[in-house]
Amino acid sequence: MTADHTSPQPPGRDTTVVLDLGPAPHDDPALEVHGPLDGDRLEAALDQVAVHHPDAPARPHPVGHRGTATHPVRLSAGAAGTAFPWGLLADLLTHPVSGARTARSVPPTTLQRELLADADAHPGRHVERLTWAWHGRLDIERFRDSWQSVVDRESVLRAAFGDGPEPLLLLHDDVPAEVLWLPEGTVGWPELVEHDLRRGLDPRLPPALRVTVLGGGFGRGGATPSRVLLTYHHALLDDWSARLLVREFYRAYLAGGRLPGGERRPDIRDYVHWLHRQDTTPARDYWSHSAPRADAVSPVPLTAAPGPATGRTEVRLDAALAERLTAWAAHWGSTESGVLQALWAVLLYRASGAAGPTRVRFGVAVSGRGITLEGAERLPAPLRAPLPLSVEVDPRSTVATLLADVRDRVLDMAAYEWVSPGQIRDWSAPASPAAPLPPSVPQASAYPDGSLLVFEGGARPADDLSADLAAHGVRVGRPEPLGARTGFPVTLVTRWDDEGGLVLTATHDRTPYADATEVLTDSASLLTEVPYLAADSTTVADLLRLLSAAPTAPRPVAAGPSHAAAPGAPAEEPPLVTLRPAAEPGAGAVCLVQAHGLPRARYDRLAEAYRGPESVVLLPTPADGPHTAPQPPGDTGPLLVLAAFSGGGTAACETARRIAKDGGRPPLVVITGAKADDAAFARTLQSVAARAGRPG
C-alpha cells in the first residue's frame, strides 16, 4: 500500500496531541492536535499507520478547528474506535520525519528489516563500494546532471528508512544527488577510500547512494584517468542494482545529462506489493524440510595464527582457464557457480575434520530476480539474499555426483529465493553450532553462520555502452566491488573481469582466525586443477588428496593479512611430473620450471601445444630455493631444455648450473614473458630442443 502525500513537516513550535478515549463504551475516542496541522501532514501519518496496521477498523478524519492551533480528530461514525492505534498516530504527529519535502511510504521487506537491524547493531556492515576508472574527457557538470537524472527516475534512490517507532520506507519526491568532485592532487586514492569507509552511509538519509570522483573536471581529459567511487547500502540496493544504475547513468551522460521519460516501473513499490501477495505456505513447507539439518556443520576455515580482525585478499584465474572451467562445468550439466559451490563444500568438509560422509552447510547469495514479477531483472532494489545450502560430502562419491547434488538443490530453492534468512530460521529446526575448533583456537572464534559464497552475474550485458562512450572519447572500466562486511566470518565473491578472467575475492570478518588468504588459495587451486583431472571416476577423496599437495594456483594478492607457513624440516624434493610422454624412447625431455604466480593449467596447455618428439615434464619450484639436479623419469632421455615463464628464470638457470656441477650436460634455458602465446612458445621450444639434441 502506498499513498502520495506531503511528509510531516517540522512544526514552527512544539506539537502536542491530546487523546481522549471516551468516558463510556459508546463514546467515540477523540484526538486533539495542538499546534500546526494540515491535511497533507495528517494523511502522511495516517498512511504510515495503515501500513503497520492494515486491519485497523477505520481511518480517522478531522472534524473541525478550535482556533488556528487546535485540531480535533475523530473516527468515522460507526467504527470501533477503541481498536484504532491512536498511540502510534500520536507518535507520528509529535515526532515527524524532517528533511524532505514530499514522500510516499511503503513497508520495508522482511529482508530489509533484517539488514537494517544488523547494520544498527554492527555499524559499518552492508555498505558496499564500486570503483572504476574513467579515461578521457570528464565533464563534471554533465556528470552531476546525469546522476541527478538517474535519481529523479529511480524511486529507490530517493528512498530512506523513516525514523519513527517502526521501520518504514519513505520514497521522497525531491532529493538532490550526492556527487562529490575532488580535483586531481587533492587527496590520494587510498586515503579517499579509507575516508569513505570511515564515513559509512546512513540508510535513513536520502539519497540511497553517494558518488565521489577524483580527477577530471572542466571538460579536460588527461593522461591520468579519473576514478569513480560509488557507495551504497545493501538494505536499499544490491550489487545487481548498482550495476543497473551505472548503466542508466551512462545513458544519461550520452544523452547530455538527462534521461527521457518519467519514473521507472516496476520499482520498489511494485516489488513490495508482489511480496505481500505471495502465499508463504509453500515456501514455509519447502524450507522447513530443506533448510540445513541439525547435524550439518558449517566450519569456518581457520588458522591458529592470530591476525587482524578483518582482511581481504584476491586472486585471478585467466581467461583461458575460465573458458575451460565453463566448458567443463557445462559438460557435467553445471555452471561455474555450481562448480565453486561443490568445491567449497569439499573445503568445508576438510575443515570439519570428518572422516566419513558428512553434511556441510554454507550461505549462497541468490539474485532474487527469478521471480514472476515482470521486469524484475531491470528492477533496482535490494533483492539479493543469502540463503542456506546444505549438501552431503562423501569421500567415496564421485565429483560428478556432488556437482549434480548441488545443482539440484540450488534449482529446488530457486522458486523460493524471495524469502529472507530470518524467515527460513523461523521455519526450520535450529541448526547445530559450528564444528569444534582445534585446541589452539579459542572457542569464542566459532560462529554458527559460517561462510557465504557470492557469484556475480556474467559477462558484459548485450546493451553494453562502451562503444557509444568511446565515440565521445571516453573509456570506462568494469565497476569492481571493494567488498562489504556481510556479517559472515568468511565471504568469497567471484566475478568476471573485462578480459574474461575470473576474479576471486575472499574477506574475513569478526575473527582473526578465519584465514581468507589460505582458503582463497585452496579455492583457486581446485578451480585450476579440476577441469584437467576430474573424470567419471574421480572421487571427492581424490580432490582432498590434491589439496594435500603443494598449491599450484595463482598466489593471492593480499589486501589484508597473509600467514606464512610455519618453519619446519626441509621439504622433500618434488619429482618431475610428466605432462606429455616422449614419442620414442631416449628422445629427451623439455623441462618446464614452474614459477610462482602462474597456474598449473598454463603448463598443461603448453604441453598440449608442443609437437616435438621429446617428452614435456614439469618441475615444481620450491619456495625455499632452487632444486638439486632433477632426474628425468624412466627412459625419457636427457634434459635438453629448461623453460620458464618470467619469474622462473632464476630457478631454471640455477637448476642448469647444478646439473653441470654434478657432471651432466647443462640443458639450454629458455625464458619468455608470462603473457606469451602458448603455441608460439611451444614452437620455439621445439626448435631449441632439436638444436640441443644434435651431436656436437
Side-chain angles (χ1 to χ4, degrees):
M1 172 179 180
T2 63
D4 294 327
H5 56 71
T6 301
S7 65
Q9 294 296 305
R13 57 186 177 85
D14 291 341
T15 298
T16 302
V17 171
V18 178
L19 176 61
D20 183 1
L21 296 179
H26 300 291
D27 290 343
D28 290 335
L31 180 146
E32 286 186 354
V33 179
H34 297 264
L37 178 68
D38 56 37
D40 286 336
R41 180 180 167 196
L42 177 61
E43 286 300 314
L46 292 176
D47 185 61
Q48 296 183 42
V49 169
V51 166
H52 295 290
H53 296 273
D55 298 328
R59 288 172 69 92
H61 61 280
V63 296
H65 296 274
R66 294 178 181 174
T68 59
T70 301
H71 310 272
V73 179
R74 294 185 182 276
L75 281 172
S76 301
T82 54
F84 187 84
W86 287 96
L88 176 58
L89 178 60
D91 285 339
L92 293 169
L93 291 175
T94 56
H95 185 69
V97 177
S98 61
R101 296 180 182 175
T102 58
R104 289 154 290 177
S105 58
V106 295
T109 67
T110 305
L111 176 62
Q112 285 182 299
R113 289 173 178 268
E114 294 171 11
L115 290 172
L116 185 63
D118 189 60
D120 287 343
H122 305 92
R125 283 188 185 174
H126 309 298
V127 178
E128 181 60 281
R129 293 161 182 84
L130 291 182
T131 178
W132 66 96
W134 179 292
H135 301 264
R137 179 182 177 184
L138 176 59
D139 186 327
I140 292 299
E141 291 307 316
R142 187 173 179 177
F143 189 95
R144 287 196 177 103
D145 290 344
S146 299
W147 275 114
Q148 184 63 61
S149 180
V150 176
V151 171
D152 293 342
R153 179 184 178 91
E154 305 290 355
S155 60
V156 70
L157 293 185
R158 305 188 304 276
F161 292 98
D163 207 14
E166 292 289 333
L168 188 72
L169 194 61
L170 300 178
L171 309 181
H172 303 286
D173 288 339
D174 186 10
V175 174
E178 186 174 356
V179 179
L180 174 64
W181 171 58
L182 299 172
E184 185 177 345
T186 304
V187 66
W189 179 252
E191 291 77 17
L192 174 60
V193 173
E194 179 63 27
H195 172 76
D196 190 85
L197 183 66
R198 293 194 304 268
R199 181 182 177 186
L201 190 140
D202 188 352
R204 290 179 172 82
L205 297 175
L209 59 76
R210 179 171 64 243
V211 186
T212 308
V213 187
L214 179 61
F218 304 107
R220 298 196 303 265
T224 302
S226 305
R227 298 296 300 270
V228 184
L229 182 67
L230 190 71
T231 307
Y232 54 96
H233 200 287
H234 278 159
L236 291 169
L237 295 168
D238 57 21
D239 297 343
W240 183 302
S241 301
R243 286 172 169 76
L244 287 174
L245 295 171
V246 170
R247 208 178 311 159
E248 287 301 292
F249 158 74
Y250 289 154
R251 288 197 181 98
Y253 193 88
L254 290 169
R258 190 68 190 171
L259 284 168
E263 280 192 342
R264 172 193 296 277
R265 299 300 290 265
D267 67 358
I268 183 66
R269 293 166 292 178
D270 301 293
Y271 178 60
V272 170
H273 290 163
W274 183 89
L275 280 179
H276 285 178
R277 291 195 302 269
Q278 302 312 300
D279 180 5
T280 60
T281 303
R284 182 192 300 268
D285 181 66
Y286 170 79
W287 285 111
S288 64
H289 294 90
S290 301
R293 299 189 327 222
D295 61 346
V297 297
S298 60
V300 175
L302 299 172
T303 175
T310 60
R312 178 177 182 269
T313 187
E314 188 173 278
V315 69
R316 178 181 183 272
L317 305 183
D318 64 29
L321 177 58
E323 183 178 352
R324 187 171 187 123
L325 180 65
T326 301
W328 181 82
H331 172 75
W332 295 108
S334 185
T335 61
E336 303 94 336
S337 60
V339 173
L340 181 62
Q341 290 159 2
L343 298 182
W344 189 258
V346 173
L347 290 173
L348 295 185
Y349 175 86
R350 185 184 66 161
S352 73
T358 300
R359 185 165 291 275
V360 300
R361 72 174 189 271
F362 52 94
V364 293
V366 296
S367 71
R369 295 173 189 272
I371 59 177
T372 56
L373 174 63
E374 184 178 357
E377 71 280 359
R378 304 185 306 275
L379 171 62
L383 275 66
R384 191 182 82 179
L387 302 184
L389 176 67
S390 68
V391 62
E392 183 174 89
V393 180
D394 185 349
R396 298 167 298 180
S397 179
T398 64
V399 173
T401 300
L402 179 60
L403 282 172
D405 189 14
V406 170
R407 176 200 61 204
D408 293 345
R409 290 182 178 277
V410 171
L411 288 175
D412 286 344
M413 73 181 188
Y416 307 109
E417 62 180 25
W418 44 270
V419 303
S420 73
Q423 289 175 305
I424 295 174
R425 284 194 298 268
D426 293 341
W427 296 340
S428 59
S432 66
L437 300 176
S440 56
V441 181
Q443 293 299 308
S445 298
Y447 291 93
D449 48 0
S451 52
L452 174 66
L453 294 189
V454 181
F455 201 103
E456 296 183 348
R460 285 185 177 272
D463 59 345
D464 178 41
L465 301 173
S466 297
D468 297 317
L469 290 167
H472 286 71
V474 174
R475 181 169 58 87
V476 294
R478 179 186 290 231
E480 299 178 0
L482 296 184
R485 294 175 56 198
T486 63
F488 286 81
V490 174
T491 301
L492 179 62
V493 179
T494 305
R495 60 181 173 83
W496 298 93
D497 65 13
D498 284 328
E499 298 177 359
L502 276 176
V503 180
L504 284 74
T505 304
T507 58
H508 70 257
D509 190 16
R510 299 188 341 194
T511 168
Y513 300 96
D515 187 359
T517 302
E518 292 304 317
V519 73
L520 184 62
T521 300
D522 290 340
S523 301
S525 179
L526 286 179
L527 289 173
T528 300
E529 299 289 352
V530 161
Y532 294 91
L533 301 179
D536 293 352
S537 60
T538 302
T539 65
V540 171
D542 294 330
L543 295 185
L544 294 171
R545 284 191 290 271
L546 177 64
L547 283 170
S548 300
T552 58
R555 298 300 299 172
V557 178
S562 60
H563 304 289
E572 182 181 355
E573 184 69 14
L576 291 174
V577 179
T578 300
L579 302 180
R580 177 185 180 276
E584 55 190 48
V590 172
C591 181
L592 308 179
V593 180
Q594 186 171 6
H596 293 302
L598 286 178
R600 159 71 181 272
R602 185 71 190 276
Y603 300 91
D604 289 310
R605 293 199 305 271
L606 185 58
E608 288 178 0
Y610 193 80
R611 295 293 180 264
E614 297 81 13
S615 67
V616 179
V617 296
L618 178 67
L619 178 63
T621 301
D624 56 351
H627 292 286
T628 57
Q631 297 298 319
D635 58 355
T636 294
L639 292 181
L640 303 177
V641 178
L642 280 170
F645 291 104
S646 179
T650 300
C653 291
E654 185 60 28
T655 301
R657 291 192 186 99
R658 294 194 178 199
I659 292 175
K661 184 178 180 180
D662 290 345
R665 178 183 177 184
L668 299 177
V669 177
V670 183
I671 311 297
T672 191
K675 295 185 178 181
D677 178 78
D678 293 333
F681 191 30
R683 289 193 296 270
T684 300
L685 293 180
Q686 182 178 342
S687 174
V688 173
R691 186 173 78 243
R694 295 189 187 115

